[in-house]
Amino acid sequence: MSSLPPRFHALACAALAAVFSTAAMAAAPAAAPPPAPADGGGGLSSPMGPGGLPAGQGAGYHSPQSPIKPLQPRSDVVPWSSLSNLTKKTLRDRIEPVFTSEQKAMHMTIRRVQGFMVPMDTKPGQKHFLLTSVPLTCAFCIPGGPESMIEVKARTPVRYSLEPVVVEGRFQTLQDDQYGLFYRLVEARQVE
C-alpha cells in the first residue's frame, strides 16, 4: 500500500487529470519521440518500477528519455535539493515533515522557485497549480513525494507551459496541510 496520504493522492490525481486537457493547449514545439529502450519497452519511466507500488518519496526522477529538458541551474531560485532534503515522521493519520533550519528560515519570506507546472483545471491561464521538480512522465504517476512539489496560488494567471516556469511569492512551510503538501507559494507571480 502506498505511503501517500489519501488527500495528497486525491489532489495529485485531480491535477494530473487536468494535465491531459491542458496539454493540448500548450504551444510547445513538436519534439521527436525518444528512442525506444534497448529492452523493447515503451520508453516511459515510472517511479513504480517493475511490480512495485508508488512510494511518494524524494525529489522525483527526470527520465533521460523525456523530450522535456531538465531544469537548468539558476542562482536566483531556491534549489529543489534544499526543499527535498528533509526527513518525515509517520504518524497514525498522516506523514509529517521535519523541516531543516534552512527550510524553516524560508517560511513567510519572498522566494523564487523554478519548476514544471501541473495544472489544477483546464484553463490556459493557471492561478492555482502545482510546481514540481521534474516533468510528469505518466498521467497516473506522481513525479515524486510531497517534498518535490509546491502548491502555487498566483495573483494573476500563469500561462500553462510544458517548459519550466519561474514564480516568485511568499513561501510557506506547511506542517499539517489538509492535502499532505509540505510547501506553498502565495501571492505568486511569474518572472523571467
Side-chain angles (χ1 to χ4, degrees):
M1 181 159 225
S2 171
S3 63
L4 292 172
R7 295 175 303 230
F8 173 74
H9 192 286
L11 177 68
C13 287
L16 295 175
V19 167
F20 280 122
S21 299
T22 310
M25 293 183 272
D39 66 2
L44 293 177
S45 66
S46 170
M48 293 175 59
L53 291 174
Q57 303 287 323
Y61 173 72
H62 191 114
S63 171
Q65 298 169 336
S66 174
I68 301 169
K69 292 185 280 189
L71 296 174
Q72 298 302 307
R74 288 178 58 144
S75 61
D76 63 332
V77 299
V78 175
W80 283 98
S81 58
S82 294
L83 300 177
S84 61
N85 181 29
L86 59 75
T87 57
K88 295 177 243 177
K89 184 171 34 174
T90 303
L91 305 175
R92 191 172 59 100
D93 62 343
R94 70 183 192 282
I95 297 173
E96 184 176 275
V98 180
F99 295 113
T100 64
S101 57
E102 177 187 11
Q103 293 156 348
K104 288 177 185 176
M106 286 191 268
H107 183 66
M108 299 307 289
T109 62
I110 302 299
R111 299 293 171 154
R112 283 186 178 180
V113 185
Q114 175 188 31
F116 298 95
M117 290 181 77
V118 178
M120 299 301 283
D121 62 40
T122 59
K123 296 175 185 169
Q126 301 288 309
K127 288 185 81 173
H128 184 210
F129 57 94
L130 295 177
L131 196 67
T132 63
S133 60
V134 296
L136 299 176
T137 58
C138 158
F140 306 103
C141 302
I142 298 169
E147 64 273 26
S148 72
M149 45 189 88
I150 299 171
E151 179 183 21
V152 177
K153 294 185 177 185
R155 285 187 273 181
T156 57
V158 176
R159 182 145 184 85
Y160 175 72
S161 172
L162 294 173
E163 297 300 317
V165 297
V166 178
V167 289
E168 179 179 80
R170 188 166 305 282
F171 188 86
Q172 299 174 344
T173 55
L174 309 172
Q175 195 63 41
D176 187 18
D177 180 65
Q178 68 176 340
Y179 296 111
L181 295 170
F182 295 168
Y183 305 111
R184 181 176 296 130
L185 203 63
V186 297
E187 302 169 14
R189 65 181 182 86
Q190 186 171 6
V191 295
E192 293 300 317

